[in-house]
Amino acid sequence: MNVQNPSAERDYIPIADHGLIGNLRTAALVSIDGSIESYCVPNFDSPSIFARILDKDKGGHFSITPTVPFTTKHNYLPSSNVLQTKFLNEKGVVSVTDFLPRVENAESTRPLLFWLIRRVEVVRGTIPLRVECAPAFNYARDPHATQIVPDDTIPLQFSKQNKVIFTSRPAASPYLARGASPQSTSHNPLTLDLRFLPESLLDNVPVPEVSLETLNLSAKGHLGLAAQAELTLVEGQRVTFVLRIAPEHKGDGGSGVDEEQAELLGVDYQKLMAGAHKMRPKDDPVMTSELLDHLFVSTNNYWNSWIRKSTYQGSWKEAVHRSALALKLLIFEPTGGKDLEEIELLHLDGHKGSKPVRIGNGAADHVQLDIYGELMDCIYLGQKYGKPLSYDTWVLVRELVDFVVANYKKPDLSIWEVRGKERHFTYSKIMLWVAIDRGLRLADKRSLPCPRRLQWLAARDDLYEEIMDKAWNKDMQVFGQSYEETDVLDSSVLIMPLVFFMTPSDTRFVSTLKQVLKTPERGGLTSNNLVYRYDVNKSDDGVGGEEGTFCLCTLWCVEALTRAGEYERPLLQRAVAMFEDFLLYLNQVGLCSEEISESGEALGNAVQGFTHVTLISAAYNLSRTLANQRSV
């Protein structure tokens, strides 16, 4: 058992030891020891308030952790994105349930509450806990003021409770550009409040007492006071903490009458509270036990009802469904975004010292021509399995294909977003071919007008011949990374049969696939059944440094083996073995990172959407191929 010792100085928690919660507007990483490690509010592209995963001392956190040695378990509720962390030792078990609320589809008229809810409940015995809420606004760059004040947002029987208000002060940031005025800050002050609701769930068990106090963490680099509370709960006691952006308006605690007074007046207290709810703004309801229970149930039901729409019934159902739920968490429901200027945050330590920490994306203005293929494939599949294209949409699609036809001869920086010179990358050329091909398929299958059909056909055929001529290395018998470097192997070319550029039984593709499957020492890209993108010692990507095997590439390889395995049975068996091995590297709640180190440690982006979508595709095609093989 992995025993956690809270008395020791807390170090970084491994990337794999995190779960993810979200509400389709933003998401939060929750560590296995009960700390919110990453959280941006109110949206994905908003500055962080917690970023402990990037700096263990001053990044900001919201932790609920035992003060005595414990072991821990992490799990999602079945078919849900509600996360549960359990702390266990000989004297007790405590459960912390974390979620960002969603309303059920049938309740779409209810506003979405932008609350982070953390429910602490004793399952058995007792375990002393320490709660710390230490926001670090704007990636730990903005100072803040902290106040503990009476809580005016709860029923009157809890009127002696306090809440904590955190207000950022961006104009006072020590990280303002030299010579910049306080008015030049790009964002407004943000105010959060931390509230709690104590409850007794058993007769003869008192409601727990919770006392919030300020905590000075300036010695670790924090720019404002944190809040803390010491909890010693027993079985039957529960405390729910709620962190939110404080509403601008002021409200009272509801009816102004407590339960005992309501009984003396002969008034049903629940009806009285229901009336009080209706009088308050919908985005600031009275925080009652019933409301919190409702939010928990409706959020769980939302995820349950969404994943029930899945039709996958193959051998890897649990992994596929968890991947689908993870992908859903990464979706920004309103769509859209903002400027992605890349900035280095030199004041942050980086995870385990992996500086520099960057926000934004320096590749946002890169020329990546492969995206047109991915977009056109999505459009094609969308109209195939969903709503057919309208004429006006088709006109826009034609313009997109015309652009591809006019530019397919140009170099780019491709899928790996290299920071070096533009090249004619094989992957981009394949995806440009896909863009033109899907346009032609749409025109043919839907009998849509295509005035430039002959030019599209000529461009598609010319591009195919060009790839077969310029990307093929006759000596090595492989497709190279680019026209300029055909001696560099790149696993992205495994996409060929997956997008129907080439049949998986083609000798050129099979030869390339088998070379990728060799170990790096023998000129391949596969180590321990995991696949690298390319050899960083041979390809100048402008980034430098070592990297682990790439999860996306491993799953592309699984699917390529699956498709080739329809013609060579041993390759299908290798696909099953590689996929089963890969699943061993999912973390304890079934989530994927971007890379895996030689020692099996999760690296890079986590949770990685590209990995999860490719896992679903690999599992689906592997299950279908195996079923077809059995029926023969």
Side-chain angles (χ1 to χ4, degrees):
M1 296 289 284
N2 182 22
V3 178
Q4 305 272 346
N5 186 357
S7 63
E9 182 72 15
R10 185 187 186 275
D11 204 347
Y12 287 101
I13 300 296
I15 286 175
D17 289 345
H18 292 82
L20 188 71
I21 57 174
N23 61 1
L24 308 191
R25 298 295 197 281
T26 188
L29 282 174
V30 187
S31 68
I32 198 168
D33 68 343
S35 175
I36 304 293
E37 300 275 276
S38 176
Y39 184 41
C40 298
V41 291
N43 299 321
F44 282 110
D45 58 0
S46 302
S48 68
I49 58 170
F50 303 129
R52 196 182 207 177
I53 197 170
L54 297 176
D55 193 305
K56 63 183 176 63
D57 292 326
K58 59 180 176 292
H61 62 275
F62 183 0
S63 60
I64 301 174
T65 309
T67 58
V68 295
F70 64 96
T71 58
T72 182
K73 302 288 184 184
H74 229 176
N75 67 279
Y76 283 107
L77 298 188
S79 301
S80 176
N81 278 322
V82 175
L83 186 67
Q84 188 175 67
T85 308
K86 282 190 175 179
F87 304 125
L88 311 92
N89 67 15
E90 296 84 355
K91 295 185 178 180
V93 177
V94 173
S95 170
V96 179
T97 303
D98 293 310
F99 64 99
L100 297 173
R102 286 289 304 183
V103 295
E104 293 183 69
N105 293 333
E107 299 178 309
S108 57
T109 56
R110 288 176 175 264
L112 184 65
L113 295 178
F114 294 89
W115 295 4
L116 168 61
I117 299 179
R118 313 202 69 190
R119 174 169 281 186
V120 186
E121 184 175 345
V122 176
V123 178
R124 172 183 63 80
T126 182
I127 295 182
L129 301 165
R130 180 180 179 86
V131 180
E132 290 185 8
C133 185
F137 292 88
N138 188 25
Y139 309 107
R141 291 184 292 184
D142 291 353
H144 66 269
T146 303
Q147 295 175 283
I148 297 180
V149 300
D151 192 352
D152 60 358
T153 63
I154 56 174
L156 195 61
Q157 68 262 43
F158 301 115
S159 59
K160 294 181 181 179
Q161 278 184 203
N162 290 330
K163 66 178 179 179
V164 186
I165 297 177
F166 304 99
T167 303
S168 71
R169 297 187 295 129
S173 173
Y175 298 100
L176 278 176
R178 182 176 297 178
S181 67
Q183 290 74 30
S184 66
T185 57
S186 59
H187 56 284
N188 296 319
L190 179 65
T191 300
L192 307 173
D193 67 17
L194 174 65
R195 303 172 294 160
F196 65 91
L197 189 71
E199 301 172 77
S200 171
L201 306 178
L202 296 175
D203 294 336
N204 303 319
V205 174
V207 173
E209 293 185 5
V210 181
S211 177
L212 291 170
E213 300 174 344
T214 57
L215 173 65
N216 189 343
L217 295 174
S218 59
K220 293 194 172 188
H222 282 254
L223 300 177
L225 294 176
Q228 66 173 339
E230 302 285 345
L231 301 180
T232 302
L233 306 180
V234 299
E235 183 181 350
Q237 291 182 329
R238 181 168 74 189
V239 179
T240 304
F241 293 92
V242 176
L243 182 70
R244 64 172 182 172
I245 296 177
E248 295 181 2
H249 53 264
K250 296 288 185 180
D252 57 48
S255 65
V257 179
D258 64 21
E259 196 164 359
E260 185 177 338
Q261 291 171 320
E263 186 176 346
L264 290 173
L265 293 170
V267 179
D268 184 278
Y269 183 71
Q270 296 302 325
K271 291 183 179 179
L272 194 65
M273 289 305 301
H277 272 295
K278 294 178 181 179
M279 295 174 64
R280 292 178 65 88
K282 288 187 176 182
D283 63 348
D284 185 25
V286 179
M287 193 173 77
T288 63
S289 175
E290 292 75 19
L291 173 64
L292 293 174
D293 286 343
H294 171 77
L295 291 174
F296 170 77
V297 171
S298 65
T299 300
N300 208 41
N301 287 346
Y302 171 82
W303 295 115
N304 289 170
S305 61
W306 184 79
I307 198 60
R308 277 199 297 267
K309 298 173 184 177
S310 168
T311 59
Y312 176 78
Q313 298 296 326
S315 301
W316 299 281
K317 189 173 181 179
E318 184 176 350
V320 167
H321 282 188
R322 177 49 52 201
S323 288
L325 285 163
L327 283 169
K328 187 70 170 175
L329 279 175
L330 299 176
I331 291 173
F332 184 56
E333 191 174 45
T335 74
K338 62 183 184 184
D339 184 35
L340 294 174
E341 178 190 2
E342 183 170 289
I343 300 171
E344 291 188 353
L345 303 180
L346 300 178
H347 65 291
L348 294 179
D349 182 48
H351 184 73
K352 296 185 178 180
S354 55
K355 291 184 177 182
V357 174
R358 296 184 178 97
I359 56 175
N361 188 348
D365 58 355
H366 278 191
V367 176
Q368 294 176 237
L369 296 176
D370 59 287
I371 62 172
Y372 295 100
E374 283 118 12
L375 176 58
M376 282 299 300
D377 205 28
C378 286
I379 293 171
Y380 175 77
L381 293 172
Q383 67 80 39
K384 182 177 179 180
Y385 296 106
K387 186 178 179 181
L389 296 179
S390 67
Y391 173 75
D392 289 332
T393 303
W394 168 242
V395 171
L396 295 175
V397 170
R398 283 194 325 216
E399 292 178 3
L400 192 153
V401 178
D402 285 339
F403 175 84
V404 171
V405 169
N407 290 276
Y408 74 88
K409 294 282 188 181
K410 294 181 179 180
D412 73 339
L413 295 171
S414 200
I415 184 175
W416 303 137
E417 300 176 346
V418 298
R419 302 294 175 102
K421 62 182 179 181
E422 293 183 355
R423 280 167 274 179
H424 294 276
F425 285 96
T426 305
Y427 178 85
S428 289
K429 299 302 181 181
I430 295 167
M431 296 312 294
L432 287 166
W433 178 92
V434 169
I436 304 171
D437 177 75
R438 299 310 187 261
L440 287 165
R441 291 191 190 209
L442 282 170
D444 291 342
K445 291 181 181 297
R446 298 295 182 192
S447 300
L448 294 167
C450 188
R452 292 175 52 82
R453 186 190 306 268
L454 294 179
Q455 290 94 323
W456 290 8
L457 280 166
R460 184 186 66 173
D461 292 349
D462 178 58
L463 184 51
Y464 196 101
E465 295 281 10
E466 181 183 281
I467 294 169
M468 300 303 284
D469 177 43
K470 295 184 178 181
W472 178 248
N473 187 310
K474 294 180 181 179
D475 297 330
M476 295 175 60
Q477 291 291 291
V478 298
F479 287 104
Q481 183 184 63
S482 66
Y483 294 175
E484 294 84 354
E485 295 177 315
T486 59
D487 59 328
V488 175
L489 197 60
D490 190 314
S491 56
S492 65
V493 301
L494 297 178
I495 200 74
M496 286 180 168
L498 280 58
V499 295
F500 305 108
F501 173 82
M502 174 178 282
T503 173
S505 62
D506 189 289
T507 54
R508 288 193 180 192
F509 178 75
V510 174
S511 176
T512 303
L513 173 61
K514 290 181 177 179
Q515 185 63 34
V516 168
L517 290 170
K518 293 179 181 179
T519 63
E521 293 77 14
R522 298 180 58 228
L525 296 174
T526 303
S527 175
N528 191 30
N529 253 356
L530 301 172
V531 181
Y532 290 94
R533 293 192 294 180
Y534 45 80
D535 187 338
V536 294
N537 297 313
K538 294 181 179 179
S539 178
D540 179 17
D541 56 14
V543 178
E546 299 295 322
E547 68 175 30
T549 56
F550 225 71
C551 296
L552 166 65
C553 298
T554 301
L555 293 166
W556 272 344
C557 191
V558 169
E559 191 163 347
L561 284 165
T562 300
R563 294 175 185 268
E566 294 184 50
Y567 306 95
E568 288 189 41
R569 188 63 178 260
L571 295 180
L572 183 59
Q573 295 169 350
R574 179 70 185 271
V576 174
M578 180 176 278
F579 191 58
E580 289 284 1
D581 277 1
F582 175 80
L583 295 179
L584 297 175
Y585 294 95
L586 303 183
N587 74 0
Q588 68 277 357
V589 291
L591 300 179
C592 297
S593 61
E594 184 178 29
E595 301 175 32
I596 299 169
S597 72
E598 290 183 349
S599 62
E601 183 182 3
L603 301 173
N605 293 330
V607 173
Q608 170 68 308
F610 222 157
T611 304
H612 280 290
V613 73
T614 315
L615 186 154
I616 294 171
S617 180
Y620 175 82
N621 284 290
L622 188 52
S623 294
R624 181 177 60 180
T625 302
L626 289 171
N628 291 339
Q629 291 278 339
R630 295 188 192 104
S631 63
V632 174

